[in-house]
Amino acid sequence: MHTLDNDTFASTPGMISFKPGVWFKHDRKKIISLVLFLLTSVLFGFFVTKIAFLFVPVACYMNWYYWIAASEHFTADSNGGIVISKNPTLVAVSTNLAKFGGDYPVIKVIEYKPSKFVRVGDRIGTIAVYEAHEDDDGESFINHWVDFEPIPIDYATDDRSEIRREIARYSDEQWEDIESGVSQLTKPYSPGLYRVHIADSDWCTTSR
């Protein structure tokens, strides 16, 4: 995960209360490995070699950075998602990857581990951060993001009223964009980023 760029602002920022205990259930392997790294560094420092203490600040920073990045993610761009498949459960999320104008519509299909029973067609909320192209360094400006990472809201909170409120913020146009984009995908669906409405958007004039 990455912390948010201070110069980047979400068009629809997430408005939920991040709960570490709920997030732990989603990413427990990563969290446990970070904690074990810290504990191992301390224990080796006390009982094996003092050199191990050199790893303690690194381990502390990694743990701190992880939780800052996780909590900040859920203040980023909020988007609706629709369940499009079961076994595995897949969700389609739409967005426009344009940075400062233009039209770059995409559908991101992600795997979803729901906290309750869901059916195809059910709507969920997600919050995403955006990834810039590796060549976009200011000198070689690329006017769209290369990818985005939507994460379901119920991975970060179990407050059903907050989840319902967040979903209610999405416009009818957002849901229509998802349905329209999914209609252009080929079955069986698989996770990935898909450009849609290529002929009617700025995708038709870009090679990246």
Side-chain angles (χ1 to χ4, degrees):
M1 300 189 103
H2 304 283
T3 54
L4 299 184
D5 183 343
N6 291 332
D7 297 325
T8 303
F9 301 93
S11 57
T12 308
M15 298 177 62
I16 66 165
S17 301
F18 177 79
K19 296 184 177 181
V22 177
W23 178 251
F24 173 79
K25 297 176 184 178
H26 164 68
D27 205 21
R28 67 182 68 195
K29 289 183 179 179
K30 180 67 173 294
I31 295 170
I32 290 173
S33 67
L34 287 171
V35 172
L36 286 177
F37 177 40
L38 175 57
L39 292 177
T40 300
S41 300
V42 172
L43 292 175
F44 265 67
F46 276 116
F47 300 110
V48 180
T49 173
K50 300 297 183 182
I51 295 177
F53 280 126
L54 295 175
F55 292 98
V56 174
V58 176
C60 287
Y61 175 79
M62 290 176 65
N63 277 270
W64 171 83
Y65 182 89
Y66 172 86
W67 284 107
I68 291 295
S71 61
E72 281 190 350
H73 184 109
F74 291 93
T75 66
D77 197 37
S78 191
N79 299 280
I82 297 179
V83 177
I84 59 172
S85 171
K86 294 290 297 285
N87 301 318
T89 302
L90 300 176
V91 167
V93 185
S94 72
T95 196
N96 193 316
L97 292 181
K99 288 183 178 179
F100 307 107
D103 186 27
Y104 298 92
V106 294
I107 290 287
K108 184 71 173 279
V109 177
I110 60 172
E111 294 186 6
Y112 178 43
K113 297 178 180 178
S115 55
K116 62 182 182 66
F117 176 78
V118 295
R119 297 167 295 186
V120 171
D122 283 354
R123 297 176 175 183
I124 71 166
T126 74
I127 298 180
V129 295
Y130 290 68
E131 178 185 343
H133 196 284
E134 59 183 7
D135 295 332
D136 191 359
D137 57 6
E139 297 178 1
S140 176
F141 180 74
I142 298 172
N143 60 352
H144 67 82
W145 303 103
V146 67
D147 200 356
F148 77 121
E149 182 189 0
I151 298 180
I153 290 172
D154 58 342
Y155 286 4
T157 183
D158 55 3
D159 188 324
R160 307 314 301 182
S161 63
E162 273 197 346
I163 294 173
R164 288 193 297 269
R165 183 189 66 202
E166 193 71 12
I167 294 174
R169 297 173 64 205
Y170 307 139
S171 66
D172 291 339
E173 183 180 3
Q174 282 196 51
W175 300 118
E176 292 168 2
D177 285 345
I178 300 173
E179 293 170 351
S180 176
V182 169
S183 71
Q184 299 181 33
L185 305 185
T186 302
K187 293 182 179 181
Y189 303 121
S190 59
L193 181 73
Y194 302 91
R195 296 179 179 184
V196 294
H197 303 295
I198 294 175
D200 303 320
S201 67
D202 290 316
W203 288 127
C204 66
T205 61
T206 182
S207 59
R208 301 195 188 191

